[in-house]
Amino acid sequence: SEGKAMIFAEPNYDTALIGIGEIAEPGIPKKCLAVYDYQLMIQWVMNDFKICRDDAIEFIDFNTLGTSVVNNPIILYRS
């Protein structure tokens, strides 16, 4: 909805939330979307669940990114 960004609730990836992005299209109310850093999400899962990097990536890809939700947050991928 306008002015409110959906954030991940469980897990919350609190340290991976890096900002809010805005999508604006003519004739459609603007949307605010949370922006998460994928590398920081991996680090968060590794630390919180005490698992290795490969398992953290699998967890995120299946349990977080594999879900379909209206107004999904934006994921920033960097190398």
Side-chain angles (χ1 to χ4, degrees):
S1 67
E2 187 171 343
K4 294 184 179 182
M6 187 192 107
I7 60 171
F8 290 124
E10 188 60 42
N12 65 21
Y13 301 110
D14 57 347
T15 58
L17 179 63
I18 59 172
I20 302 294
E22 185 176 283
I23 296 176
E25 298 178 46
I28 300 174
K30 70 181 175 184
K31 295 180 193 175
C32 293
L33 302 174
V35 180
Y36 290 88
D37 183 306
Y38 187 68
Q39 295 302 320
L40 294 176
M41 289 172 71
I42 294 168
Q43 199 64 42
W44 188 92
V45 170
M46 288 172 59
N47 292 338
D48 198 62
F49 295 116
K50 308 291 188 251
I51 59 177
C52 71
R53 181 176 178 80
D54 288 342
D55 288 344
I57 290 170
E58 183 178 338
F59 176 88
I60 293 166
D61 289 350
F62 182 79
N63 294 296
T64 303
L65 304 181
T67 62
S68 179
V69 179
V70 175
N71 297 329
N72 272 341
I74 298 168
I75 308 300
L76 172 68
Y77 295 92
R78 55 188 171 92
S79 38

